[in-house]
Amino acid sequence: MFFTYLRRELRRRRKAALVVASGLALGIALVIIVSSVSSGMSKAQDKVLESLYGLGTDMTVTKAAAAPGSSTQRPRFEFDAKGDDSEQSSDRVMVQGFQTLSSTTVDKVGKQSGVADAVGGLSLNVLKVDGQFKRGEFKQNGNAGATGQRGPGGEGGTTQPQGEVQGGGASFDVNSYTVYGTDVTKQDLGPLTSSKITKGRTFKATETDAEVAVVDASYAKQKKLAVGKTVTVSGTKYKIVGVSTADSGDAAANLYIPLKQAQTLADAKNKVTTVYVKAADSQQIDSVKSAIQKNISGTTVTTSADLADTVSGSLSTASDLATSVGKWLSIAVLVAAFLVAGLLTSSAVSRRVREFGTLKALGWKSGRVTRQVVGEALVNGLMGGVLGIAVGLAGAYVVTAISPTLTAQLGGSGGGGGMAGGPGGMGGPARQAASKSLDIALTAPVSLSTILIAVALAVAGGLIAGAFGGWRASRLRPADALRRVE
């Protein structure tokens, strides 16, 4: 009887049911779209951060920033003096940021409570100068042979030909590229994890001091490098065993070599620039950070959340809008949809006074009438949920299909020591990133949890609307109802 009456009443009041369902659908669809876009923003920011320090890294430990005014190294280039014209080439290998930590710091960090794993890396910047010195040529004047001048001593002096030195000089080209020394025994942590090996292979655990290298795909294309070829860094030839492609499109370094080889190139034995840390529990990152800062002096600990604060540009602006304006807008629309559904249901009950009065006169109790009204409202809510989920999925699909490009400016604040010494430039990402930007394509992934939330909202909307109508129906008295005429 319940379902028969329910089906008949919904069919008889199709327009009213459609209005209630459409209002709920609008609010639910907006919640789905905002949630999916916010999820896409979060993934985009994660991709930006992973391009700096790699997948799975929760924080980095670097040497504390040097005091203002302290002296830093300056690159010096020395060339052999040769009597004839010849090409000259010189490499200057420098530790990025000019600040290093002892390799023992990696072990100290790894022993801290809450640390699941820690690995060290050495980030280098190589300045390569190539060019040629060209000797000038002495050219005599046309009449120099006839009017040569006597040298000192009068007639007995030698004749000085008249003329000038022409041509000569020097022409040099300066190139800069980054090299990252990675611990080949722990390749599941650090910047290289943000790239995929697309050609060749990655390092073997036994190649701790081997002259092998993995080159970034963009750099390999620019310099025409390939697997099997060699690349020379400061006089040492490294065989390219693999080509990596960064997930975000911007790699942490141009070239990756074993950590010991990097330490040898930079004359930085047993030194690292960055310690990459993975926490045992993502909920305890702040406490792990505090423990490291307290127990290991002279270091700066930067978490992924700290680095996220340095991300600016259209990605940051859009993310702020999605999390603030979008969230409150969706809540406001949802609340309005619930109120409208409740008021429309209550109004519909008022127009059905005679009907409900007759049912009560026939023996229906108030509880049964209330359940009937709530059932109708719940079905309207579920219909609105199905419609809202469909519209929300369509909206998320459109955003993903259009895939608007957002720009992320890294380290716009030029923060103190954040990620100092890490890949990406002089002084690490947070210092060099002011001139580094990434273009990220926005997607709007819809998760199962978002769908479940939408279903819950649909049920809640139906129950709220049913509560309005049920309360109104429960107050009806058969005698009063029968005196009214629709």
mmCIF file of all heavy atoms in Angstrom, residues 25 95 102 159 179 205 264 298 344 387 427 436 485:
data_model
loop_
_atom_site.group_PDB
_atom_site.id
_atom_site.type_symbol
_atom_site.label_atom_id
_atom_site.label_comp_id
_atom_site.label_asym_id
_atom_site.label_seq_id
_atom_site.Cartn_x
_atom_site.Cartn_y
_atom_site.Cartn_z
ATOM 1 N N ALA A 25 19.566 18.878 -6.989
ATOM 2 C CA ALA A 25 20.581 18.491 -7.972
ATOM 3 C C ALA A 25 21.588 19.606 -8.199
ATOM 4 O O ALA A 25 22.799 19.358 -8.341
ATOM 5 C CB ALA A 25 19.910 18.105 -9.288
ATOM 6 N N VAL A 95 79.271 23.351 -5.548
ATOM 7 C CA VAL A 95 78.147 22.870 -4.740
ATOM 8 C C VAL A 95 77.074 23.942 -4.722
ATOM 9 O O VAL A 95 77.355 25.104 -4.437
ATOM 10 C CB VAL A 95 78.601 22.552 -3.300
ATOM 11 C CG1 VAL A 95 77.407 22.194 -2.431
ATOM 12 C CG2 VAL A 95 79.618 21.426 -3.313
ATOM 13 N N SER A 102 77.727 17.130 6.740
ATOM 14 C CA SER A 102 78.496 15.887 6.784
ATOM 15 C C SER A 102 77.577 14.714 6.466
ATOM 16 O O SER A 102 76.389 14.715 6.793
ATOM 17 C CB SER A 102 79.117 15.709 8.169
ATOM 18 O OG SER A 102 79.702 14.429 8.286
ATOM 19 N N THR A 159 116.228 49.288 -37.640
ATOM 20 C CA THR A 159 115.065 49.957 -38.228
ATOM 21 C C THR A 159 113.782 49.393 -37.644
ATOM 22 O O THR A 159 113.594 48.175 -37.596
ATOM 23 C CB THR A 159 115.062 49.758 -39.748
ATOM 24 O OG1 THR A 159 116.273 50.281 -40.283
ATOM 25 C CG2 THR A 159 113.877 50.459 -40.372
ATOM 26 N N VAL A 179 73.960 18.975 -11.926
ATOM 27 C CA VAL A 179 74.295 17.564 -11.725
ATOM 28 C C VAL A 179 73.868 17.190 -10.312
ATOM 29 O O VAL A 179 74.139 17.923 -9.349
ATOM 30 C CB VAL A 179 75.805 17.314 -11.901
ATOM 31 C CG1 VAL A 179 76.140 15.849 -11.615
ATOM 32 C CG2 VAL A 179 76.257 17.697 -13.303
ATOM 33 N N ALA A 205 72.395 -0.988 -7.728
ATOM 34 C CA ALA A 205 72.835 -0.770 -6.346
ATOM 35 C C ALA A 205 74.335 -0.946 -6.180
ATOM 36 O O ALA A 205 74.929 -0.420 -5.232
ATOM 37 C CB ALA A 205 72.088 -1.723 -5.410
ATOM 38 N N THR A 264 83.418 13.423 -5.493
ATOM 39 C CA THR A 264 84.771 13.520 -6.056
ATOM 40 C C THR A 264 84.891 14.720 -6.986
ATOM 41 O O THR A 264 85.872 15.469 -6.944
ATOM 42 C CB THR A 264 85.125 12.235 -6.817
ATOM 43 O OG1 THR A 264 85.047 11.117 -5.925
ATOM 44 C CG2 THR A 264 86.530 12.310 -7.394
ATOM 45 N N GLY A 298 72.355 23.370 13.706
ATOM 46 C CA GLY A 298 72.929 23.893 12.470
ATOM 47 C C GLY A 298 72.221 23.454 11.213
ATOM 48 O O GLY A 298 72.802 23.527 10.126
ATOM 49 N N LEU A 344 8.932 23.786 -0.191
ATOM 50 C CA LEU A 344 8.034 23.287 -1.242
ATOM 51 C C LEU A 344 7.273 22.061 -0.766
ATOM 52 O O LEU A 344 6.074 21.892 -1.073
ATOM 53 C CB LEU A 344 8.847 22.957 -2.496
ATOM 54 C CG LEU A 344 9.396 24.145 -3.284
ATOM 55 C CD1 LEU A 344 10.244 23.667 -4.444
ATOM 56 C CD2 LEU A 344 8.253 25.031 -3.794
ATOM 57 N N LEU A 387 20.387 13.071 -10.459
ATOM 58 C CA LEU A 387 20.529 14.149 -11.434
ATOM 59 C C LEU A 387 21.758 15.008 -11.116
ATOM 60 O O LEU A 387 22.526 15.385 -12.016
ATOM 61 C CB LEU A 387 19.267 15.011 -11.444
ATOM 62 C CG LEU A 387 19.207 16.142 -12.477
ATOM 63 C CD1 LEU A 387 19.323 15.590 -13.889
ATOM 64 C CD2 LEU A 387 17.905 16.940 -12.316
ATOM 65 N N GLY A 427 71.488 27.596 -4.459
ATOM 66 C CA GLY A 427 70.838 27.789 -3.187
ATOM 67 C C GLY A 427 69.582 26.988 -3.012
ATOM 68 O O GLY A 427 68.914 27.120 -2.025
ATOM 69 N N LYS A 436 61.833 30.474 -11.623
ATOM 70 C CA LYS A 436 61.458 29.175 -12.177
ATOM 71 C C LYS A 436 59.957 28.991 -12.080
ATOM 72 O O LYS A 436 59.374 29.143 -11.015
ATOM 73 C CB LYS A 436 62.171 28.065 -11.405
ATOM 74 C CG LYS A 436 61.797 26.656 -11.873
ATOM 75 C CD LYS A 436 62.520 25.641 -11.020
ATOM 76 C CE LYS A 436 62.165 24.225 -11.449
ATOM 77 N NZ LYS A 436 62.804 23.221 -10.594
ATOM 78 N N VAL A 485 -11.734 23.065 1.627
ATOM 79 C CA VAL A 485 -11.954 22.586 0.278
ATOM 80 C C VAL A 485 -10.820 23.101 -0.589
ATOM 81 O O VAL A 485 -10.500 24.290 -0.548
ATOM 82 C CB VAL A 485 -13.310 23.081 -0.294
ATOM 83 C CG1 VAL A 485 -13.498 22.564 -1.735
ATOM 84 C CG2 VAL A 485 -14.440 22.622 0.577
#
